[in-house]
């Protein structure tokens, strides 16, 4: 019992420190950099859509995934400069998004809200991690270190299958990827993504268009990521790394079925819609992760 009074001021001091740090992450300059990251994120999806459409038309080029989009940027005029700008913008976006944990963390101390707070904090950190990985990848590409995501995933899967319990580990990761795909698809169905838009500042006439683009984009991404998880799960059950693939491999699998080009064209349109939605989010950003 005696330690409780001493612990109380410590909690208050910790809250004050966290509040001061969060005020830094709320600064206008970081918000502007995060907006630049959202613009880069949207442009990346537009490039993925373009590469997927080329695949649907039977034309091959860079992989229709994030690394393929970055390689396309690298090959263009001012590629290194653009990659550095994309990388810094995405890292700022990662910090801006992950910093929401500083707003919610104290809920972990409340038994009644602990589970909800843990879910919200996990979503903040997961979004921040995705943006951060993309930012670091862009900076690595700017420095001349290039790789293709599909090949790297296949190599990692093959190496993991060689260790005891490797297949189980890959199966667990595959289940997680499928869960992300389902979550993304459901978010598209429910429209929960609109909480990432600062609706009071967005013109009312644009809200239906933003919501329609977001729905199409989230549904397409959910299908693509779910298929990535299924293909990775096949690699785990068959102990065959050749079936492990990323987003480009999922696009290739879609193209290989009956009416594949038409289906892939639809997925490409979905990624393009998500890209435009991300640009709208850059114009009216809100990082509220409570949904």
């Amino acid at each position: 019992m005696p330690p409780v009074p001493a612990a109380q001021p410590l909690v208050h001091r910790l809250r004050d420190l966290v509040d001061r740090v969060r005020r830094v992450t709320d600064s206008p300059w970081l918000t502007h950099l995060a907006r630049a990251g959202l613009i880069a994120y949207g442009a990346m999806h537009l490039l993925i859509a373009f590469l997927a459409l080329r695949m649907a038309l039977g034309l091959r080029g860079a992989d229709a995934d994030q690394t393929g989009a970055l390689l396309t940027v690298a090959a263009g005029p001012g590629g290194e400069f653009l990659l550095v700008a994309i990388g810094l913008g995405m890292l700022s976006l990662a910090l801006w998004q992950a910093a929401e944990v500083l707003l919610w963390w104290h809920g972990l101390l409340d038994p009644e809200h602990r589970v909800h707070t843990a879910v919200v904090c996990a979503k903040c950190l997961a979004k921040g991690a995705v943006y951060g990985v993309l930012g670091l990848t862009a900076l690595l590409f700017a420095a001349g270190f290039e790789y293709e995501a599909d090949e790297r995933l296949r190599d990692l899967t093959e190496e993991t299958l060689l260790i005891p319990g490797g297949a189980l580990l890959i199966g667990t990761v595959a289940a997680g990827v499928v869960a992300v795909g389902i979550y993304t698809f459901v978010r598209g169905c429910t429209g929960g993504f609109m909480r990432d838009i600062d609706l009071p500042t967005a013109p009312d006439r644009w809200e239906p268009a933003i919501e329609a683009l977001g729905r199409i984009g989230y549904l397409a991404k959910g299908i693509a990521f779910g298929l990535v998880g299924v293909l990775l799960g096949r690699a785990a059950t068959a102990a065959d790394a050749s079936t492990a693939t990323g987003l480009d491999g999922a696009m290739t699998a879609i193209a290989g079925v009956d009416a594949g080009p038409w289906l892939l064209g639809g997925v490409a349109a979905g990624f393009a819609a998500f890209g435009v939605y991300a640009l709208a989010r850059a114009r009216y950003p809100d990082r509220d992760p409570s949904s």
Side-chain angles (χ1 to χ4, degrees):
M1 299 299 294
V4 174
Q8 199 68 16
L10 178 62
V11 171
H12 287 313
R13 287 197 296 271
L14 181 59
R15 286 184 175 178
D16 290 340
L17 175 62
V18 170
D19 287 341
R20 286 197 293 271
V21 173
R22 190 179 187 279
R23 280 196 291 271
V24 172
T25 67
D26 281 338
S27 63
W29 63 267
L30 182 58
T31 301
H32 290 316
L33 288 173
R35 280 178 163 173
L38 282 168
I39 291 172
Y41 192 57
M44 194 178 301
H45 281 80
L46 291 174
L47 274 174
I48 293 172
F50 170 72
L51 295 171
L53 182 59
R54 282 178 55 87
M55 186 187 297
L57 295 174
L59 304 173
R60 285 299 301 188
D63 287 352
D65 57 15
Q66 291 85 350
T67 55
L70 292 175
L71 287 171
T72 302
V73 172
E80 281 188 23
F81 172 78
L82 288 174
L83 286 175
V84 170
I86 290 171
L88 294 178
M90 294 301 298
L91 289 177
S92 300
L93 177 58
L95 177 61
W96 182 78
Q97 184 67 69
E100 280 301 271
V101 170
L102 301 177
L103 175 65
W104 291 83
W105 73 274
H106 53 79
L108 297 172
L109 305 176
D110 183 356
E112 293 184 9
H113 302 94
R114 187 168 295 157
V115 174
H116 174 68
T117 303
V119 171
V120 169
C121 289
K123 288 165 67 174
C124 292
L125 294 175
K127 286 183 178 181
V130 170
Y131 300 144
V133 168
L134 290 175
L136 289 174
T137 302
L139 293 178
L140 286 174
F141 280 21
F145 297 95
E146 298 179 356
Y147 66 91
E148 293 183 357
D150 266 23
E151 291 183 2
R152 185 59 183 146
L153 177 60
R154 199 169 293 115
D155 291 342
L156 286 173
T157 302
E158 187 173 6
E159 293 168 5
T160 305
L161 286 173
L162 295 176
I163 65 175
L168 178 60
L169 177 60
I170 294 172
T172 303
V173 172
V177 175
V178 170
V180 170
I182 293 173
Y183 168 77
T184 304
F185 189 88
V186 170
R187 205 162 193 235
C189 292
T190 62
F193 55 86
M194 289 297 285
R195 289 185 174 89
D196 291 332
I197 301 288
D198 188 5
L199 292 177
T201 63
D204 291 341
R205 66 181 182 277
W206 289 115
E207 287 184 24
I210 293 173
E211 183 173 357
L213 289 168
R215 284 186 185 277
I216 295 170
Y218 270 91
L219 291 174
K221 287 189 68 173
I223 292 170
F225 289 143
L227 183 55
V228 170
V230 170
L231 294 173
L232 190 58
R234 285 179 56 188
T237 55
D240 181 8
S242 65
T243 62
T245 185
L247 183 57
D248 180 72
M251 300 285 197
T252 303
I254 293 172
V257 303
D258 292 339
W262 291 100
L263 292 173
L264 187 55
V267 172
F271 271 76
F274 185 90
V276 177
Y277 160 79
L279 295 178
R281 188 185 170 203
R283 178 65 180 85
Y284 311 105
D286 191 338
R287 54 183 175 177
D288 180 13
S290 59
S291 60

